[in-house]
């Protein structure tokens, strides 16, 4: 295997070796190995990728030791964020994000990238130093690209005046509105960025002109579609008598309208009332009811036969005395049910208490497991501002 890799490496030119990260003093690497196997799982980056880190990351798919080494390195990068004491606390976050993007090319919940994005933007949203920092804005934009609805994030940035001096903010915001078919809102965002002279303004104006061309073509296409739905009358086509008569004969049943005979209404004629003929059974019941008619009302005793009980004085009936209250009897003691405890669980010591840290977000990220990262990532994708204080959502 190593000899074959060395022969393949020797057959490559100097430029290809430089792209692969191999030099005369470096150990030979296998050509087209892990890359050919896992290249569908690699997410492209605009700035490109480090070939050395990419090879190590792809080997982690099949090598558990390499995978454990990547997780340990990620823990060290997060620890460096917590221990940083310099004047630019955003830079360790940026370095960690770039490293995770390179070392976990497939992304996903296992990388923890979405959680790192959220921890970073939440740590500095109120810091005036980074309101107009392009690095901080790019972290926000990358975080928005991983959420189901990025409009919430752009409204948050707009209300908190984050990234107002950069053209990329208005471009991404307007393109998102265009994708939702909110062309009027997208046009307002472009004009707002040009009025504020967001840098680089030339790129913003170029993107705006392209947006206007797309909008014009879309409107023309909608007009053409609407005109195609209307019936079109064609002129200049002559028909002979036979075809004309045949068409008239075929369409005669469609064109013929039933004639309605109008009746003259006399105002002086009285209105006739419709009377329904009674059914034979109803006539018999009426006849029987007439036969059973009351001839007499009966005597008073007959009418008051329900009230046979004679009234009497209530004092003649004595209410039985109340029984003296008995002393409270203590409830019988129920025998407690013995809870089964597994011997293995009984022998395990209690989990150690985690000490509180002044940076709970970083501590949570360091101690998070793959299961917790997956759950948190799914929640953040649905609600990207779920961990922000209510005072920030103005």
């Amino acid at each position: 295997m190593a000899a074959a890799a060395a022969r393949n490496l020797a057959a490559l030119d100097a430029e290809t070796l430089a792209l692969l990260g191999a030099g005369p003093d470096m150990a030979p690497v296998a050509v087209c190995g892990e890359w050919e196997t896992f290249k569908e799982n690699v997410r492209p980056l605009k700035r490109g990728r480090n070939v050395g880190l990419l090879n190590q990351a792809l080997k982690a798919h099949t090598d558990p030791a390499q995978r454990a080494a990547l997780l340990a390195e990620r823990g060290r990068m997060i620890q460096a964020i917590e221990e940083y004491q310099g004047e630019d606390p955003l830079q360790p976050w940026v370095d960690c994000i770039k490293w995770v993007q390179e070392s976990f090319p497939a992304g996903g919940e296992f990388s923890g990238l979405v959680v790192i994005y959220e921890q970073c933007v939440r740590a500095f949203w109120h810091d005036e130093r980074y309101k107009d920092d392009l690095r901080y804005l790019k972290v926000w934009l990358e975080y928005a690209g991983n959420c189901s609805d990025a409009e919430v994030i752009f409204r948050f940035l707009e209300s908190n005046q984050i990234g107002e001096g950069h053209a990329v903010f208005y471009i991404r915001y307007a393109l998102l509105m265009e994708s939702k078919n909110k062309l009027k809102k997208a046009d307002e965002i472009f004009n707002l960025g040009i009025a504020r002279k967001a840098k680089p303004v030339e790129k913003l104006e170029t993107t705006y002109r392209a947006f206007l061309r797309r909008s014009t073509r879309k409107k023309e296409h909608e007009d053409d579609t609407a005109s195609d739905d209307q019936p079109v009358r064609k002129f200049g086509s002559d028909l002979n008598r036979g075809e004309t008569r045949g068409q008239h004969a075929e369409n005669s049943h469609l064109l013929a309208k039933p004639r309605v005979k109008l009746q003259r209404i006399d105002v002086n004629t009285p209105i006739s009332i419709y009377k329904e003929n009674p059914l034979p059974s109803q006539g018999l019941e009426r006849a029987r009811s007439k036969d059973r008619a009351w001839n007499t009302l009966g005597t008073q005793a007959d009418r008051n036969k329900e009230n046979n009980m004679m009234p009497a004085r209530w004092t003649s009936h004595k209410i039985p005395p109340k029984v003296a209250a008995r002393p409270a009897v203590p409830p019988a003691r129920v025998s407690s049910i013995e809870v089964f405890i597994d011997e293995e669980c009984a022998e395990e010591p209690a989990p150690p208490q985690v000490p509180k840290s002044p940076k709970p977000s970083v501590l949570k990220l360091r101690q998070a497991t793959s299961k917790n990262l997956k759950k948190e990532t799914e929640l953040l994708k649905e609600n990207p501002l779920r961990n922000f204080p209510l005072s920030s959502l103005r």
Side-chain angles (χ1 to χ4, degrees), residues 88-151:
D88 188 11
L90 178 62
Q91 188 58 41
W93 283 99
V94 175
D95 296 339
C96 180
I97 289 172
K98 289 182 177 180
W99 183 88
V100 172
Q101 289 175 343
E102 296 282 356
S103 302
F104 296 88
E109 297 86 357
F110 178 72
S111 64
L113 193 58
V114 176
V115 180
I116 296 175
Y117 286 149
E118 193 270 341
Q119 302 283 358
C120 177
V121 297
R122 185 157 52 93
F124 303 105
W125 71 271
H126 57 280
D127 198 333
E128 296 294 335
R129 294 177 297 175
Y130 301 113
K131 291 280 187 181
D132 208 33
D133 195 311
L134 184 59
R135 299 173 302 166
Y136 184 57
L137 177 61
K138 286 185 176 180
V139 177
W140 268 110
L141 297 179
E142 291 176 0
Y143 182 40
N146 288 272
C147 299
S148 58
D149 188 9
E151 187 176 357

Side-chain angles (χ1 to χ4, degrees), residues 38-255:
F38 303 105
K39 62 183 179 182
E40 292 83 2
N41 299 328
V42 177
R43 300 180 63 181
L45 292 179
K46 188 175 181 180
R47 65 175 182 271
R49 288 188 175 276
N50 187 330
V51 180
L53 287 177
L54 180 60
N55 289 333
Q56 294 179 5
L58 295 179
K59 289 179 181 178
H61 286 278
T62 56
D63 189 357
Q66 187 67 29
R67 187 173 184 176
L70 287 177
L71 295 178
E73 182 63 24
R74 187 182 66 182
R76 286 191 291 270
M77 297 287 291
I78 297 172
Q79 185 178 1
I81 296 173
E82 184 182 7
E83 297 175 353
Y84 183 78
Q85 300 294 334
E87 298 179 356
D88 188 11
L90 178 62
Q91 188 58 41
W93 283 99
V94 175
D95 296 339
C96 180
I97 289 172
K98 289 182 177 180
W99 183 88
V100 172
Q101 289 175 343
E102 296 282 356
S103 302
F104 296 88
E109 297 86 357
F110 178 72
S111 64
L113 193 58
V114 176
V115 180
I116 296 175
Y117 286 149
E118 193 270 341
Q119 302 283 358
C120 177
V121 297
R122 185 157 52 93
F124 303 105
W125 71 271
H126 57 280
D127 198 333
E128 296 294 335
R129 294 177 297 175
Y130 301 113
K131 291 280 187 181
D132 208 33
D133 195 311
L134 184 59
R135 299 173 302 166
Y136 184 57
L137 177 61
K138 286 185 176 180
V139 177
W140 268 110
L141 297 179
E142 291 176 0
Y143 182 40
N146 288 272
C147 299
S148 58
D149 188 9
E151 187 176 357
V152 180
I153 292 181
F154 283 105
R155 289 203 303 264
F156 178 86
L157 297 177
E158 186 178 11
S159 61
N160 289 278
Q161 301 177 354
I162 297 176
E164 290 183 344
H166 299 283
V168 65
F169 167 71
Y170 301 97
I171 292 174
R172 293 283 295 274
Y173 194 5
L175 293 180
L176 176 65
M177 295 295 100
E178 183 185 4
S179 65
K180 294 185 174 184
N181 203 22
K182 299 180 180 179
L183 302 181
K184 184 178 179 181
K185 179 65 175 178
D187 186 77
E188 293 175 356
I189 293 170
F190 273 121
N191 290 325
L192 180 62
I194 295 174
R196 291 177 177 175
K197 297 181 180 181
K199 299 178 182 179
V201 68
E202 296 83 6
K203 182 178 180 180
L204 183 60
E205 292 175 347
T206 303
T207 310
Y208 181 47
R209 287 193 292 268
F211 163 75
L212 292 178
R213 289 193 295 267
R214 290 193 302 271
S215 303
T216 305
R217 287 196 299 267
K218 185 176 182 180
K219 187 176 181 180
E220 292 176 353
H221 178 69
E222 291 177 353
D223 295 341
D224 294 341
T225 306
S227 61
D228 292 340
D229 296 338
Q230 300 295 330
V232 181
R233 184 178 179 183
K234 297 182 180 180
F235 298 93
S237 57
D238 298 333
L239 298 176
N240 54 26
R241 290 186 177 180
E243 294 176 353
T244 306
R245 291 178 181 175
Q247 290 183 359
H248 282 296
E250 292 176 359
N251 300 331
S252 60
H253 68 284
L254 299 176
L255 299 176

Side-chain angles (χ1 to χ4, degrees), residues 288-296:
R288 292 174 182 175
S289 62
K290 290 181 180 179
D291 297 339
R292 292 195 303 266
W294 288 357
N295 298 323
T296 59

Side-chain angles (χ1 to χ4, degrees), residues 218-339:
K218 185 176 182 180
K219 187 176 181 180
E220 292 176 353
H221 178 69
E222 291 177 353
D223 295 341
D224 294 341
T225 306
S227 61
D228 292 340
D229 296 338
Q230 300 295 330
V232 181
R233 184 178 179 183
K234 297 182 180 180
F235 298 93
S237 57
D238 298 333
L239 298 176
N240 54 26
R241 290 186 177 180
E243 294 176 353
T244 306
R245 291 178 181 175
Q247 290 183 359
H248 282 296
E250 292 176 359
N251 300 331
S252 60
H253 68 284
L254 299 176
L255 299 176
K257 296 182 179 179
R259 294 183 179 180
V260 180
K261 186 177 181 180
L262 300 179
Q263 296 180 358
R264 187 175 181 180
I265 301 175
D266 191 358
V267 180
N268 298 323
T269 304
I271 301 175
S272 60
I273 300 175
Y274 174 76
K275 294 182 179 180
E276 186 179 2
N277 296 327
L279 298 175
S281 59
Q282 294 180 356
L284 294 175
E285 291 179 359
R286 291 178 181 176
R288 292 174 182 175
S289 62
K290 290 181 180 179
D291 297 339
R292 292 195 303 266
W294 288 357
N295 298 323
T296 59
L297 296 178
T299 62
Q300 185 177 3
D302 294 336
R303 294 197 301 270
N304 297 334
K305 60 184 178 180
E306 290 85 1
N307 304 326
N308 294 328
M309 185 176 179
M310 297 300 294
R313 295 180 62 184
W314 288 6
T315 55
S316 61
H317 298 278
K318 295 183 179 180
I319 301 175
K322 295 182 179 180
V323 181
R326 298 179 180 179
V329 179
R333 185 175 181 181
V334 182
S335 59
S336 60
I337 300 174
E338 184 179 358
V339 181

